[in-house]
Amino acid sequence: MSLSSKEAAASLSEAEIAGRRSAQLYGYRKASPHLVMWGIIWVLGYGGTDLLHDYTNLIWTMLVAGGLLAGTYLNWRASKCTTEAERTPRAWRMLALGLIAVFFVFATYAIMWPVHGRQLAAYPALITGSVYAAVGLWAGMRYVLAGILVVALTLFGFYYVEHILLWMAFVGGGSMILAGLWFRTV
Amino acid sequence: MEQPDPIIHQPIRLKIMAALKPLPASDPIEFVRLKAMVGTTEGNLGAHITTLEEAGYVAVQKDFVAKRPRTRVSLTKNGRRAFEDYLDYLRAIIGTNEPAA
């Protein structure tokens, strides 16, 4: 049995397509718990900030720190494919990425100060949505749609909703949770 | 490799191997998900999985979740190597040594 160059190219292309699709669906399933978790963090963070203004810093510090640690654990657990030696660096890289994102948001606040409350509320959500949309250009259309949804809802809330914190808690956080559940359906 | 591996050199089995390749061996994929990915019937997929299992290319795990049977499939070390060899064989024919994405 021998193959022509055309047949070989066709088989190779089919294998590449199937492999890419499989990797994409696997990525969705692994991202799902992260989206649900950060959706819950938004609900608690924005909702808590609306109810307990004086404790805003404490609420968000605890939630973001908890989210980063929980996310690191999820990544560590998900990277069973690798050897023990590779697993920890990957999880740490994801934690470092989260810390860089937090640093970026606060650094932006610092150089743009003074900013008002609505800007403080909307900015991290805009960053999050934009990052999801950008990641989706490589990782899959569902990321793009989830990112666009979060950005659109955030902008709508910023310009048209008086109680933006409650809007971000239930509509922003809720849409993150729904997106996470949607990712699980692949 | 002078000839293509006859176990892998079949369109459905090629798709199965390609779909399993990016997944970790310790995190097997459920049969129903694999069926959707490969786009074939349950019986057809089952027959090809059996062929691959007998060749030692895939591992099949069966258990129960909430009293419902669950079948999961993953690529073995031998299967991963055989698939890489098969891809190398294809690349050699078309005259490129670049690995597939």
Side-chain angles (χ1 to χ4, degrees):
Chain A
M1 186 188 347
S2 65
L3 291 179
S4 70
S5 159
K6 204 174 168 185
E7 286 169 326
S11 293
L12 202 53
S13 163
E14 209 160 293
E16 280 178 21
I17 291 167
R20 207 177 305 133
R21 175 87 182 127
S22 171
Q24 191 180 74
L25 298 187
Y26 185 73
Y28 281 139
R29 277 197 292 137
K30 291 300 161 193
S32 165
H34 291 271
L35 274 167
V36 172
M37 181 186 74
W38 283 103
I40 292 169
I41 287 175
W42 281 22
V43 172
L44 296 175
Y46 284 114
T49 304
D50 189 71
L51 291 172
L52 306 162
H53 267 300
D54 294 343
Y55 297 97
T56 298
N57 289 340
L58 179 66
I59 289 169
W60 279 108
T61 302
M62 285 172 61
L63 286 172
V64 171
L68 289 175
L69 289 175
T72 303
Y73 171 72
L74 288 173
N75 282 321
W76 179 82
R77 212 181 55 171
S79 60
K80 286 178 186 167
C81 53
T82 57
T83 63
E84 188 69 33
E86 291 166 335
R87 191 182 302 173
T88 306
R90 183 183 290 192
W92 283 111
R93 271 199 294 272
M94 294 308 290
L95 175 63
L97 185 66
L99 289 172
I100 289 167
V102 171
F103 166 78
F104 177 75
V105 168
F106 281 98
T108 311
Y109 289 153
I111 63 171
M112 297 292 183
W113 205 264
V115 292
H116 60 71
R118 296 175 73 82
Q119 290 170 318
L120 289 173
Y123 186 63
L126 284 178
I127 293 287
T128 304
S130 301
V131 167
Y132 272 114
V135 166
L137 297 176
W138 287 269
M141 192 48 71
R142 289 191 184 208
Y143 286 95
V144 176
L145 295 175
I148 289 173
L149 179 71
V150 168
V151 167
L153 290 172
T154 302
L155 287 175
F156 183 86
F158 183 81
Y159 286 110
Y160 301 108
V161 179
E162 189 182 341
H163 294 284
I164 189 171
L165 290 173
L166 288 179
W167 172 266
M168 291 309 301
F170 294 105
V171 180
S175 64
M176 289 273 280
I177 293 169
L178 287 176
L181 297 176
W182 182 43
F183 276 30
R184 273 194 78 80
T185 64
V186 293
Chain B
M1 196 192 293
E2 304 252 324
Q3 297 288 322
D5 183 333
I7 302 289
I8 301 175
H9 189 63
Q10 195 283 337
I12 298 291
R13 290 200 288 271
L14 173 63
K15 269 191 186 175
I16 294 170
M17 296 294 283
L20 292 177
K21 192 188 166 229
L23 311 180
S26 56
D27 197 2
I29 186 170
E30 285 188 33
F31 187 86
V32 284
R33 284 187 192 276
L34 186 59
K35 185 177 76 136
M37 234 182 262
V38 174
T40 185
T41 63
E42 206 166 310
N44 198 16
L45 180 64
H48 287 302
I49 292 287
T50 303
T51 304
L52 291 168
E53 190 184 15
E54 283 170 358
Y57 289 177
V58 302
V60 178
Q61 295 171 35
K62 294 185 179 192
D63 58 5
F64 284 86
V65 175
K67 294 184 180 172
R68 295 179 67 179
R70 180 179 66 166
T71 302
R72 294 183 300 161
V73 186
S74 62
L75 211 56
T76 62
K77 247 182 203 170
N78 280 346
R80 200 170 288 275
R81 199 177 308 123
F83 187 60
E84 287 293 350
D85 288 345
Y86 179 77
L87 294 180
D88 286 343
Y89 168 79
L90 296 178
R91 286 185 204 116
I93 290 175
I94 60 175
T96 169
N97 289 319
E98 284 176 24

